[in-house]
Amino acid sequence: MRKENMVLKDILSALVRGYGSEQVHRALTEVSRRSPGDGQSNFDGMPSKPKKAERSSAKLTATDIAARSDAPAETKQLLLSLASRFDRKAFLPTIGDVRNFLEMRGIPSRNLKQRPDAFRQVLRIVSSMPPEALEKLIRESRHYGPSELGPLSDAIRSTSERIRSLEPPSDTPRPKDSDEPKSNASSDQD
């Protein structure tokens, strides 16, 4: 990582700790609207090259997506906290973990290829949770994926129940005890 990026991240981290991510995001949006696009300078004071694509077409982070949600204020803060954990890979660290999380809640996830793209589906699920359940998820979400046995066990149980409910009854009757050939053990005793 380049030195100027590290300095920028340190400054932004301090601002987020002091003002909150939503307020910093709003301020950055306002500043970027007022700044001329071609005359911006980079870290060393030299004019930077004009950007080809605007931020709207760039990949959004989970925090960006959560910040844009229209959830109530209390829920939004919790969603931002969870999104921040998602960005840092402290919540659902792999695409497999994301798929497992979604599948356990009945959401098909086979088409998901990249972890960052999956956060919109995760957000739909967690934003419908009551604040208490969301707080519990945040507290217990150190990794929250197949690497933990509880969620893995739940996923296996729900999948096997789903498979059993979809299986048609067998057409071939099972042999009864009386239909089985008798063993030669009784004839040996005679």
Side-chain angles (χ1 to χ4, degrees):
M1 182 180 285
R2 294 176 27 191
K3 183 178 179 180
E4 59 265 17
N5 287 340
M6 290 173 46
V7 171
L8 176 62
K9 286 186 178 187
D10 287 343
I11 292 169
L12 285 172
S13 294
L15 290 171
V16 168
R17 279 192 304 270
Y19 295 95
S21 61
E22 188 173 341
Q23 195 169 358
V24 171
H25 187 267
R26 270 192 248 124
L28 283 172
T29 303
E30 289 175 23
V31 168
S32 65
R33 285 183 190 148
R34 286 188 255 148
S35 298
D38 295 340
Q40 294 178 348
S41 62
N42 62 16
F43 183 73
D44 58 6
M46 300 299 293
S48 62
K49 296 176 186 173
K51 303 225 184 225
K52 290 182 181 177
E54 290 296 317
R55 175 72 177 148
S56 61
S57 64
K59 295 251 181 189
L60 297 175
T61 65
T63 305
D64 294 335
I65 294 167
R68 292 179 176 191
S69 75
D70 57 352
E74 180 185 4
T75 303
K76 192 166 196 166
Q77 282 303 108
L78 295 170
L79 294 175
L80 286 168
S81 175
L82 196 63
S84 173
R85 288 173 176 262
F86 188 87
D87 286 336
R88 292 188 325 258
K89 294 188 176 184
F91 174 63
L92 305 175
T94 68
I95 188 66
D97 293 331
V98 175
R99 286 185 185 131
N100 179 53
F101 181 84
L102 295 171
E103 290 289 332
M104 284 178 26
R105 285 149 183 86
I107 307 296
S109 63
R110 290 184 183 182
N111 294 335
L112 297 177
K113 302 293 182 211
Q114 296 183 356
R115 190 179 162 275
D117 298 335
F119 187 73
R120 290 183 197 280
Q121 289 186 350
V122 171
L123 183 65
R124 268 188 235 125
I125 291 170
V126 297
S127 63
S128 66
M129 297 171 85
E132 301 81 28
L134 197 50
E135 286 173 351
K136 182 180 179 189
L137 181 64
I138 291 168
R139 273 194 319 271
E140 296 175 355
S141 69
R142 185 167 194 117
H143 288 286
Y144 205 85
S147 57
E148 291 185 15
L149 296 178
L152 182 58
S153 173
D154 292 344
I156 291 169
R157 187 178 307 113
S158 71
T159 302
S160 65
E161 288 171 359
R162 209 171 322 138
I163 289 171
R164 280 189 212 123
S165 69
L166 296 175
E167 287 180 350
S170 176
D171 290 336
T172 58
R174 291 187 175 188
K176 296 180 184 175
D177 290 334
S178 61
D179 292 343
E180 290 181 15
K182 298 193 183 217
S183 69
N184 291 337
S186 62
S187 61
D188 289 341
Q189 293 177 359
D190 288 314

